[in-house]
Amino acid sequence: MWITPEEVLLANALWVSERANPFFILQRRKGHGKGGGITGLLVGTMDVVLDSSARVAPYRILHQTGDSQVFWSIACGSSRKEITQHWEWLEANLLQTLSIFDNDEDITTFVKGKISGIIAEENKSKAALEDEDSGKFREAEQKMRKLFGMPDEEKLVNYYSCSYWKGRVPRQGWLYLSINHICFYSFLLGKEVTLVVQWTDVTRLEKNATLVFPESVRVSTRHTEHYFSMFLNVNDTFKLMEQLATIAMRQLLDNEGFAADRSLPKPCKTLKNVSALKRDLDARAKNERYRALFRLTQDERLDGHTDCTLWTPFAKMHIVGQLFVSNNYICFCSRDEDLCQLIIPLREVSIVEKADSSSVLPCPVSISTKNKMTFLFANLKDRDFLVQRISDFLQRTPDRLWSDGHPLALIGHSVSQSEGRAIAEMAPSILPSIRCSRPVPFAEKHPQRMMFPPPCFTVGMVEKMKEESWSIHFFEFGRGVCMYRTSKTRELVLNGIPESLRGELWLLFSGAKNEMDTHPGYYAELVEQAMGRCTLATEEIERDLHRSMPEHHAFQNEMGIAALRRVLTAYACRNPGIGYCQAMNIVTSVLLLYCTEEEAFWLLVALCERMLPDYYNTRVVGALVDQGVFEELTRECLPLLYEHMQELGVISTISLSWFLTLFLSVMPFDSAVLLVDCFFYEGIKVIFQVALAVLHANMDTLLGCTDEGEAMTILGRYLDNVVNKQTVSPPIPHLHALLTSGNEPPPEIDVFELIKSSYDKFGSLRADDIEQMRFKQRLKVIQSLEDTAKRSVVRAIMTDSAFSIEELEELYVLFKAKHIMSCYWGASSTAAERHDPSLPYLEQYRIDLGQFCQLFGALGTWLCGTHTATLAARLFRLLDGNRDGLVNFKEFVTGLSGMYHGDMTEKLKLLYKLHLPPGKRGDRSHSEVKDYKYYLRMWAKEKEPRKETIKDLPRMNQEQFIELCKTLYNMFSEDPLEQELYHAIATVASLLLRIGEVGKRFGNGNGGRKPNGAADAPAALAEAQLETPPQQTSDEEVKDDTSVSSYSVVSAGSLQCEDIADDTVLIGCGGDQQRRGSTLDGDWSITFEQVLASMLTEPALVDYFEKKGDIQARMAACKMQRAVERQVSSSSDHELAQLST
């Protein structure tokens, strides 16, 4: 690139001059390219190890006049191609002009002014880019693309100096972290190390510190491990790697990982050497932590946070913590999380004002809510800015414009009367656009428990005491979403929430209350949309409705069943990606016992989308992840029991049902619902704690077990007898089989004692530690599911393919890699069309025509030079049975199998089909909607026995036959027996032309009269001009089967083998169709049997088509293609030769 002219005193120190003229010198830095000796090695090593700010470009151009000893650096480049372009521009545009000047000083002034002008013009177009990424970062991104052959679509996130351990020797170099790859490059003393790993291939990522690898990061794939160390800040690097690996796992799990999150906040100031993408990922991580901490919705974006103190009237003291402000909430969390937590929705705020500052209470801000609560924050560093930001968010909150008793947001010292009038005038225009809450006519206004109370239901003394305790708590700490949440709140929850308050507090602690209040009428709309809809989810729901707590009286009638149906179908309509999963019915039925339908729906939303992420999908990934976390916790907390349980294989069996139903399916209802109370307040950690406590309580007995069944019996009997001695309702019989040993009844376990024991023994679990474990297990689980999918696909097609299992698995890996690459490197179709995890395994990964052509060129045996793309496009159209422009793995293997393992008849049949028009292949229409019924029909159709004989193939006309000959000529162009094959195909082609002519005479009954068109065909073919076609697009490929053009000669009498060039192509264009149409006979045709019989007469052709291909060698070459695709070194001899010619 052009650079601002700088003075250079020593022009030849560490540089070698390669080109020169009277005014300019092109130089190459020692250590780049060949030669240089030990000095070159040292200089090259230094350039790689140094930071980019100290690194020197390997090429530069200097300006010099006459005998002057002063040089001016005017251009530099990272490759020979780039610097040569600048050199050629100087020679073409400046040399003649500079020769006119008489004064050397004028020449230098002119050159400096010209270069500065060029730089100014370039900067105009790059001004916007300069604001986003710094120059040094752009330089690193360009270097990454050059070193590893990445396209422009691959975005660099950040880069770090570190050491890569190759064997026992650390290689100092640079680690590049992009969205889809982790790359490393090092060049030390002539030794080059290059590493490229896709994030989707990572199976394990962890940070550890050992004597051999101090402060290192280990990146594991299925086949190898990589160690990186010597980071300047290993924690920041590892956090970023975690984020990128999580995005990659999400790509494998669903489509959301491929969609760019455009709503991420952008910092106002550009940070030096940090990309905009890195800042966005940092913001995403902060948003996720913020939402998880306060149980907020997925669309909530953190605007900022600051240290402060909060006055707590219940404790009469100031608590130190952090204040968080987002677009809809003001939140506070004490430094000690158990001390105090506060969530204030902006829709509840009535007044925000700056209070008088004092030495005791510096910079205070008072926030008042509609329910007459006032919160006082102090010690705010930038109070004015904070109040202004809250004011801005309040003005965007629609509910504030007509709230009861507070028509306007009163912002102390920040909203003037004129601004207030403006907001009031704006309110009528906003009101119609807000969706008002409308009643749900079919939803019950009371929970099912109140609609159908159990017989002899009385409120016991313990229940009344709980209600009184909560009333005191509400009076002291507030009630509703703005309630102070303290250790006292947790204590009351652990003692059991009274049944009259359970629904209200579940909504509050889960965050579902906020979502329900901000989406009035949403549930009613979903119920209306779901009415009458028939999907796979609704059928599964109907099947499970009567299995949902049938022992409870509320679900022994149609009214309770109908409510459960509406909630489940409404959620399936809201989230078709999940739809319905077993265990959702059990959890939802419990929610309906204490909540209205709408409340139960929003609690289900909170469970499925926030509190238990990825639990209720087709592959229950979240539950499997937490099962892995539970195994890891068991290994840490109960190591002796863990080893024994692993031998029996019990943990993986029991934990899935525990987590999916929150113990509701394995524990008596009155006991399990207390765990649900704790879960909504504490989150998943309480489920882990109780599970560990159950194992700990039965440890001695479990250690004596000898098989899995005995261990399951012990745990099942224990959980069956966890009782709630404080319950006031009659016991509900549990459907879990009552497992007893002998005649003695098993001892009862008080659920409150079990919960207390779990907190005493395992209460040190932290949410952050659980999330870290979840990350590690998520990599393991998703990659394990991918391996399972691979095995399932291979098993499904192995009977229809001649490839071995190992070959099919390797082909699947290559196919999947091409699919994923096409998703994130910009292709003709969107990621949602390409990747749908809800489809069967065979349909999940699909590639389009472009990716298919690349794989065909790498793996196919029928390579035809420049004609290969055309043949690949024809095979793609043949395999794409549903005409959706995508080919799945089974279809892909079907095409390859025909080329590699078919006999001569099968191979010729495939070639014959490729040259028939699409309409005669029996292709299915693509207009059919792909629902589950479609796949059932396809499965049934595949099971039907069908045998295609050679007589079923349609006849081939003269035009299609000559296209077939063209393909065969191109296939033989690189074969060792090229001349023999050319002679053989020429003989066969001539024979088939005569066969077709004879058949036409008998078919038309013309006697001995020969049409002119047929007579002219061989002569026209003999005179045809050989031409090389232009590259065709996929649209043009469709026309190729029916086009008429000039053709190569196929007559044995007029064509000699030496007349065929290596690049012979016989392909037509529209203009030739009219000009040569008379040379082709429309009545001429032949059958496949005739083609096959003619081919069998030539031993050379028989040997060629009977020859078996080596798929292993081609797959190995395809795997190495990634390294081959890397750009050639800028100083290579090959490039020098190209430049010199």
Side-chain angles (χ1 to χ4, degrees):
M1 61 181 177
W2 302 108
I3 60 175
T4 304
E6 296 180 356
E7 188 174 344
V8 178
L9 296 178
L10 298 175
N12 294 320
L14 303 181
W15 292 87
V16 178
S17 297
E18 294 198 340
R19 295 189 184 184
N21 59 42
F23 303 104
F24 302 103
I25 303 173
L26 188 154
Q27 294 186 326
R28 172 178 55 85
R29 189 167 174 82
K30 293 180 180 180
H32 293 268
K34 292 188 175 182
I38 188 63
T39 305
L41 288 177
L42 292 174
V43 173
T45 300
M46 181 178 63
D47 288 346
V48 171
V49 173
L50 287 177
D51 188 4
S52 61
S53 60
R55 196 180 301 138
V56 180
Y59 297 92
R60 71 179 181 182
I61 297 177
L62 303 180
H63 166 63
Q64 180 193 28
T65 56
D67 299 328
S68 174
Q69 297 301 315
V70 178
F71 297 83
W72 294 88
S73 176
I74 60 173
C76 66
S78 58
S79 67
R80 182 179 294 276
K81 181 178 179 181
E82 178 185 4
I83 204 68
T84 303
Q85 290 175 349
H86 289 2
W87 178 265
E88 291 174 350
W89 186 91
L90 291 172
E91 288 185 329
N93 295 277
L94 290 188
L95 278 186
Q96 189 173 0
T97 303
L98 295 179
S99 63
I100 302 174
F101 288 89
D102 296 329
N103 192 335
D104 289 349
E105 293 183 3
D106 293 341
I107 293 175
T108 301
T109 302
F110 177 82
V111 170
K112 292 166 63 177
K114 188 67 176 178
I115 299 302
S116 298
I118 295 174
I119 294 173
E121 287 294 326
E122 289 180 346
N123 288 340
K124 287 181 181 179
S125 60
K126 297 181 179 179
L129 188 61
E130 286 284 352
D131 293 338
E132 278 297 315
D133 294 326
S134 66
K136 287 196 291 184
F137 188 87
R138 291 202 317 276
E139 178 190 342
E141 188 170 42
Q142 292 171 359
K143 185 176 179 65
M144 177 201 74
R145 290 175 183 153
K146 174 180 178 295
L147 289 172
F148 308 106
M150 300 291 179
D152 292 340
E153 291 83 1
E154 185 70 5
K155 303 299 182 184
L156 178 66
V157 180
N158 212 349
Y159 62 103
Y160 303 92
S161 174
C162 70
S163 293
Y164 169 60
W165 292 79
K166 190 172 183 179
R168 298 184 178 181
V169 180
R171 302 295 182 122
Q172 185 67 26
W174 290 90
L175 180 71
Y176 299 88
L177 302 181
S178 68
I179 281 292
N180 303 298
H181 296 86
I182 175 173
C183 308
F184 178 84
Y185 179 78
S186 173
F187 180 85
L188 290 175
L189 300 178
K191 298 290 186 180
E192 185 181 45
V193 176
T194 304
L195 175 70
V196 179
V197 178
Q198 286 189 355
W199 285 114
T200 50
D201 291 335
V202 174
T203 59
R204 191 171 184 180
L205 183 67
E206 60 183 354
K207 180 180 63 176
N208 52 20
T210 62
L211 290 176
V212 181
F213 304 112
E215 285 293 321
S216 65
V217 174
R218 180 170 68 174
V219 180
S220 303
T221 63
R222 289 177 176 83
H223 307 294
T224 185
E225 293 183 346
H226 307 284
Y227 289 88
F228 302 92
S229 64
M230 302 295 289
F231 290 97
L232 189 62
N233 192 328
V234 67
N235 293 326
D236 290 347
T237 307
F238 186 72
K239 286 180 182 178
L240 178 58
M241 295 173 79
E242 279 186 328
Q243 282 183 280
L244 295 173
T246 300
I247 292 174
M249 294 305 104
R250 180 61 59 183
Q251 290 175 357
L252 295 175
L253 190 60
D254 56 32
N255 296 321
E256 296 176 4
F258 293 106
D261 190 349
R262 302 184 183 277
S263 57
L264 290 172
K266 301 287 194 302
C268 297
K269 296 181 180 179
T270 301
L271 302 178
K272 194 173 183 181
N273 284 341
V274 178
S275 69
L277 187 56
K278 171 67 165 60
R279 296 195 300 270
D280 288 350
L281 289 173
D282 290 342
R284 177 185 299 194
K286 291 180 180 179
N287 285 329
E288 290 174 352
R289 286 194 295 269
Y290 170 64
R291 291 192 295 260
L293 181 60
F294 298 105
R295 306 276 173 80
L296 302 178
T297 58
Q298 295 296 324
D299 57 351
E300 198 63 25
R301 298 287 182 259
L302 178 64
D303 186 68
H305 58 90
T306 183
D307 294 332
C308 69
T309 59
L310 171 66
W311 171 253
T312 52
F314 54 87
K316 301 295 187 293
M317 62 180 293
H318 292 277
I319 296 178
V320 179
Q322 280 192 322
L323 181 70
F324 301 83
V325 178
S326 60
N327 46 335
N328 293 299
Y329 297 91
I330 302 171
C331 303
F332 174 85
C333 183
S334 61
R335 189 170 295 172
D336 181 0
E337 291 184 11
D338 295 335
L339 205 55
C340 182
Q341 196 179 85
L342 186 64
I343 301 173
I344 309 173
L346 292 181
R347 65 180 184 275
E348 298 291 331
V349 174
S350 58
I351 300 175
V352 178
E353 58 184 353
K354 293 180 283 189
D356 295 333
S357 183
S358 66
S359 58
V360 179
L361 203 64
C363 300
V365 171
S366 174
I367 299 177
S368 301
T369 62
K370 298 175 185 178
N371 58 358
K372 309 301 182 184
M373 294 183 69
T374 301
F375 304 95
L376 187 62
F377 300 93
N379 292 284
L380 294 163
K381 294 180 180 179
D382 198 345
R383 180 176 62 165
D384 295 339
F385 178 76
L386 175 65
V387 171
Q388 183 59 47
R389 291 301 293 167
I390 296 176
S391 170
D392 294 341
F393 286 128
L394 281 170
Q395 293 181 26
R396 303 173 196 168
T397 307
D399 291 348
R400 303 202 36 73
L401 300 177
W402 60 90
S403 56
D404 298 337
H406 299 281
L408 296 176
L410 305 178
I411 311 299
H413 308 294
S414 60
V415 177
S416 63
Q417 293 182 355
S418 61
E419 290 172 332
R421 285 194 298 271
I423 297 174
E425 293 171 358
M426 191 169 53
S429 63
I430 298 179
L431 279 169
S433 65
I434 306 301
R435 179 172 54 195
C436 298
S437 177
R438 53 196 177 95
V440 183
F442 38 76
E444 308 301 337
K445 298 184 181 296
H446 302 286
Q448 295 296 315
R449 177 183 56 85
M450 303 301 295
M451 298 289 296
F452 301 96
C456 306
F457 177 79
T458 56
V459 180
M461 185 62 66
V462 175
E463 194 75 5
K464 288 183 178 179
M465 291 176 60
K466 289 182 181 179
E467 293 176 356
E468 184 63 26
S469 298
W470 277 99
S471 297
I472 297 172
H473 184 275
F474 291 147
F475 178 78
E476 188 174 358
F477 296 91
R479 185 168 188 171
V481 290
C482 299
M483 177 180 69
Y484 291 97
R485 308 178 192 200
T486 66
S487 55
K488 179 66 174 177
T489 312
R490 173 190 285 174
E491 183 181 336
L492 290 177
V493 171
L494 296 184
N495 289 329
I497 298 176
E499 297 199 348
S500 59
L501 297 174
R502 185 162 275 148
E504 174 189 345
L505 293 176
W506 282 0
L507 285 167
L508 179 64
F509 296 144
S510 67
K513 174 69 173 172
N514 291 320
E515 211 162 0
M516 185 175 70
D517 289 347
T518 54
H519 294 81
Y522 178 71
Y523 173 68
E525 290 181 2
L526 285 178
V527 173
E528 291 178 4
Q529 292 176 19
M531 279 185 177
R533 180 179 295 183
C534 181
T535 63
L536 182 60
T538 57
E539 292 185 8
E540 291 178 344
I541 289 170
E542 289 297 326
R543 186 173 62 246
D544 287 349
L545 281 176
H546 294 279
R547 305 175 186 173
S548 309
M549 295 191 69
E551 70 276 12
H552 199 287
H553 53 276
F555 297 99
Q556 294 171 354
N557 60 84
E558 186 54 36
M559 186 175 293
I561 295 294
L564 179 60
R565 178 187 294 112
R566 285 192 290 269
V567 174
L568 291 175
T569 54
Y571 185 77
C573 184
R574 166 189 168 88
N575 194 340
I578 292 178
Y580 172 77
C581 177
Q582 285 189 344
M584 286 175 66
N585 59 321
I586 297 175
V587 175
T588 306
S589 59
V590 174
L591 300 179
L592 281 169
L593 293 176
Y594 300 98
C595 307
T596 64
E597 282 185 38
E598 186 175 14
E599 292 171 343
F601 168 79
W602 287 112
L603 277 171
L604 185 61
V605 170
L607 272 174
C608 296
E609 298 176 13
R610 296 198 303 276
M611 300 191 72
L612 297 175
D614 299 323
Y615 259 59
Y616 302 105
N617 56 28
T618 54
R619 297 190 282 184
V620 292
V621 173
L624 293 173
V625 169
D626 281 351
Q627 176 181 290
V629 173
F630 180 57
E631 291 185 11
E632 189 172 347
L633 290 172
T634 306
R635 183 174 65 248
E636 293 179 2
C637 303
L638 307 169
L640 188 60
L641 179 62
Y642 170 78
E643 293 180 4
H644 186 66
M645 296 285 278
Q646 283 296 98
E647 294 176 0
L648 300 179
V650 175
I651 295 181
S652 59
T653 305
I654 60 175
S655 55
L656 199 59
S657 60
W658 293 2
F659 296 138
L660 276 173
T661 63
L662 304 175
F663 284 97
L664 288 167
S665 64
V666 296
M667 194 181 285
F669 171 76
D670 291 320
S671 302
V673 78
L674 292 174
L675 299 184
V676 178
D677 292 343
C678 301
F679 168 76
F680 278 121
Y681 186 80
E682 292 276 24
I684 192 63
K685 63 168 285 187
V686 72
I687 303 299
F688 286 123
Q689 290 177 186
V690 171
L692 289 171
V694 170
L695 292 184
H696 184 270
N698 294 274
M699 183 164 61
D700 294 337
T701 313
L702 289 173
L703 287 173
C705 294
T706 57
D707 57 57
E708 179 185 357
E710 185 181 357
M712 294 287 293
T713 301
I714 292 171
L715 292 173
R717 182 172 63 246
Y718 179 88
L719 291 172
D720 260 344
N721 292 279
V722 176
V723 298
N724 179 5
K725 297 180 180 179
Q726 297 181 6
T727 184
V728 295
S729 57
I732 300 174
H734 193 240
L735 289 183
H736 195 275
L738 184 63
L739 303 171
T740 58
S741 55
N743 297 324
E744 295 183 4
E748 292 184 343
I749 299 94
D750 189 352
V751 66
F752 292 101
E753 290 297 325
L754 177 61
I755 294 174
K756 182 177 182 299
S757 172
S758 72
Y759 274 88
D760 291 342
K761 294 182 173 66
F762 310 106
S764 59
L765 280 178
R766 292 176 52 85
D768 292 341
D769 298 333
I770 292 175
E771 285 303 317
Q772 185 66 34
M773 293 181 184
R774 275 179 166 177
F775 165 75
K776 291 170 58 178
Q777 295 298 326
R778 191 177 294 115
L779 290 177
K780 179 180 177 181
V781 167
I782 294 180
Q783 295 292 14
S784 175
L785 289 173
E786 289 296 306
D787 292 340
T788 301
K790 178 177 68 175
R791 290 192 294 270
S792 300
V793 170
V794 169
R795 282 198 301 268
I797 66 176
M798 61 182 296
T799 55
D800 300 328
S801 171
F803 291 115
S804 66
I805 295 179
E806 293 76 14
E807 290 171 344
L808 287 173
E809 289 182 348
E810 290 188 39
L811 285 173
Y812 180 86
V813 171
L814 294 173
F815 186 89
K816 172 185 165 185
K818 186 64 66 175
H819 160 88
I820 293 178
M821 187 180 301
S822 66
C823 285
Y824 58 59
W825 275 355
S828 57
S829 57
T830 64
E833 294 171 345
R834 297 168 169 279
H835 185 63
D836 187 356
S838 64
L839 294 176
Y841 287 135
L842 280 174
E843 292 286 338
Q844 285 186 16
Y845 294 124
R846 294 170 291 174
I847 58 176
D848 65 6
L849 175 60
Q851 280 71 49
F852 181 85
C853 290
Q854 293 175 15
L855 284 178
F856 181 86
L859 299 174
T861 58
W862 296 343
L863 301 183
C864 306
T866 56
H867 189 59
T868 300
T870 303
L871 185 62
R874 287 178 173 172
L875 180 58
F876 181 85
R877 287 198 303 271
L878 179 64
L879 298 176
D880 183 18
N882 55 7
R883 312 299 294 166
D884 63 351
L886 297 171
V887 166
N888 63 32
F889 181 65
K890 181 178 181 180
E891 295 166 338
F892 172 74
V893 169
T894 300
L896 277 186
S897 184
M899 287 188 289
Y900 275 96
H901 296 289
D903 56 16
M904 182 176 180
T905 303
E906 293 297 324
K907 291 179 180 178
L908 286 178
K909 187 193 299 184
L910 179 58
L911 271 175
Y912 187 88
K913 286 182 179 180
L914 294 182
H915 294 82
L916 295 176
K920 293 189 178 182
R921 298 174 187 154
D923 298 323
R924 298 183 297 274
S925 172
H926 64 283
S927 60
E928 188 174 6
V929 178
K930 282 188 173 183
D931 57 4
Y932 73 98
K933 295 180 180 178
Y934 166 82
Y935 291 106
L936 289 176
R937 288 195 297 271
M938 293 300 300
W939 177 79
K941 189 174 181 180
E942 289 178 355
K943 295 300 180 182
E944 295 176 0
R946 57 183 189 277
K947 296 181 179 179
E948 181 186 52
T949 64
I950 59 178
K951 294 183 178 181
D952 296 330
L953 295 175
R955 299 179 70 89
M956 177 177 284
N957 62 30
Q958 192 175 82
E959 178 184 338
Q960 296 155 5
F961 167 67
I962 299 179
E963 287 292 318
L964 174 61
C965 292
K966 171 190 65 176
T967 299
L968 290 172
Y969 275 115
N970 283 279
M971 285 172 55
F972 301 153
S973 62
E974 297 180 2
D975 194 272
L977 302 177
E978 177 181 355
Q979 297 301 320
E980 295 180 23
L981 290 169
Y982 281 159
H983 181 77
I985 193 59
T987 303
V988 169
S990 179
L991 175 61
L992 287 171
L993 280 174
R994 291 194 293 270
I995 291 175
E997 179 59 30
V998 171
K1000 183 190 65 174
R1001 290 179 185 176
F1002 283 103
N1004 293 339
N1006 292 332
R1009 188 171 62 87
K1010 184 175 181 180
N1012 294 332
D1016 294 339
L1021 294 175
E1023 298 171 359
Q1025 181 180 359
L1026 304 181
E1027 59 181 3
T1028 301
Q1031 186 68 28
Q1032 298 190 31
T1033 62
S1034 57
D1035 294 335
E1036 293 295 331
E1037 295 293 347
V1038 179
K1039 304 174 185 177
D1040 183 58
D1041 284 327
T1042 57
S1043 63
V1044 181
S1045 63
S1046 57
Y1047 298 90
S1048 290
V1049 182
V1050 294
S1051 172
S1054 58
L1055 179 68
Q1056 300 300 325
C1057 298
E1058 55 269 17
D1059 296 332
I1060 304 295
D1062 290 343
D1063 58 350
T1064 297
V1065 181
L1066 298 139
I1067 196 163
C1069 60
D1072 288 336
Q1073 184 171 355
Q1074 298 176 353
R1075 178 166 50 87
R1076 295 191 177 271
S1078 61
T1079 65
L1080 296 175
D1081 193 340
D1083 295 331
W1084 185 96
S1085 66
I1086 56 174
T1087 64
F1088 176 73
E1089 297 99 309
Q1090 293 168 341
V1091 174
L1092 177 60
S1094 301
M1095 291 278 192
L1096 289 173
T1097 61
E1098 294 293 332
L1101 294 177
V1102 174
D1103 293 341
Y1104 179 86
F1105 284 103
E1106 290 290 351
K1107 182 173 56 179
K1108 300 295 183 182
D1110 186 3
I1111 187 67
Q1112 290 286 356
R1114 291 194 175 272
M1115 286 191 296
C1118 190
K1119 291 178 182 178
M1120 295 299 296
Q1121 187 176 4
R1122 187 78 191 112
V1124 174
E1125 286 177 352
R1126 284 204 312 122
Q1127 295 184 13
V1128 182
S1129 174
S1130 58
S1131 58
S1132 67
D1133 294 337
H1134 175 69
E1135 192 176 33
L1136 286 171
Q1138 283 185 327
L1139 290 173
S1140 62
T1141 55

